[in-house]
């Protein structure tokens, strides 16, 4: 059985770095008296880094997960940290689908007793929609078995 795909889904590449060190608060336009938030979100247009997840440690340093759609340059990390060291560097080549408008959603029911739970993922993707789709697939299979 082959499933005719109606479109090719492209995926977003995401670069993630986990760093530990002393943050340069001036990078965030803060002085030392202000509390740094635990999550900082930006847009692709505003900053090469789209998300900072900051966990303050007991020793005064921070553990920072840095996410970007572009490769994270070393000089940018130099601006972000007074002192910092790399803990993890990873690139997700297919982190999530790049959504583009489609005219029709691929069928959930591929064949009798065979369903494609994530057929809707080309239009919208989230844990909630996958759970909803799975529930619908269970109902579909139950109706097919009761025929």
């Amino acid at each position: 059985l082959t499933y005719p795909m109606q479109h090719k889904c492209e995926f977003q590449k995401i670069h993630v770095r986990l760093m530990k060190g002393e943050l340069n608060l001036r990078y965030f336009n803060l002085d030392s008296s202000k509390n740094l938030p635990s999550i900082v979100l930006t847009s692709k247009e505003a900053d090469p880094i789209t998300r900072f997840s900051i966990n303050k440690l007991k020793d005064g340093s921070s553990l920072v997960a840095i996410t970007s759609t572009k490769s994270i340059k070393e000089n940018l990390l130099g601006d972000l940290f007074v002192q910092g060291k790399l803990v993890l560097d990873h690139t997700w080549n297919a982190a999530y689908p790049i959504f583009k408008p489609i005219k029709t959603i691929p069928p959930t029911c591929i064949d009798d007793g065979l369903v494609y739970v994530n057929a809707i993922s080309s239009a919208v993707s989230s844990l909630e929609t996958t759970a909803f789709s799975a529930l619908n697939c269970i109902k579909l299979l139950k109706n097919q078995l009761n025929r």
Side-chain angles (χ1 to χ4, degrees):
L1 175 70
T2 60
Y3 176 62
M5 292 302 287
Q6 297 173 350
H7 66 284
K8 182 181 178 192
C9 184
E10 294 178 51
F11 289 87
Q12 178 65 56
K13 181 184 275 192
I14 296 293
H15 303 272
V16 179
R17 280 207 179 172
L18 187 60
M19 303 283 297
K20 181 182 178 192
E22 182 185 343
L23 282 170
N24 176 6
L25 296 179
R26 288 189 204 134
Y27 184 88
F28 298 101
N29 292 324
L30 297 173
D31 61 35
S32 60
S33 66
K34 293 190 178 183
N35 288 328
L36 191 64
S38 59
I39 295 178
V40 177
L41 300 174
T42 69
S43 66
K44 291 182 204 177
E45 293 78 23
D47 197 301
I49 296 174
T50 54
R51 182 174 194 259
F52 299 90
S53 179
I54 304 164
N55 295 301
K56 295 176 187 171
L57 304 175
K58 290 181 182 181
D59 66 2
S61 66
S62 296
L63 190 61
V64 183
I66 304 163
T67 307
S68 178
T69 55
K70 296 178 183 173
S71 181
I72 302 167
K73 305 292 183 211
E74 292 298 324
N75 62 343
L76 181 62
L77 296 175
D79 293 342
L80 180 60
F81 287 91
V82 174
Q83 293 179 14
K85 70 175 187 173
L86 179 66
V87 176
L88 175 76
D89 189 7
H90 184 72
T91 300
W92 295 97
N93 288 314
Y96 55 85
I98 297 173
F99 297 114
K100 295 181 181 175
I102 58 173
K103 292 182 181 180
T104 59
I105 295 174
T108 299
C109 185
I110 297 172
D111 199 5
D112 242 7
L114 181 61
V115 294
Y116 178 39
V117 176
N118 292 320
I120 198 169
S121 69
S122 57
V124 63
S125 182
S126 70
L127 187 57
E128 294 81 9
T129 56
T130 299
F132 181 70
S133 180
L135 177 63
N136 286 338
C137 288
I138 291 168
K139 289 178 181 178
L140 180 65
L141 290 171
K142 183 179 175 185
N143 287 340
Q144 286 178 4
L145 291 171
N146 287 334
R147 274 193 262 149

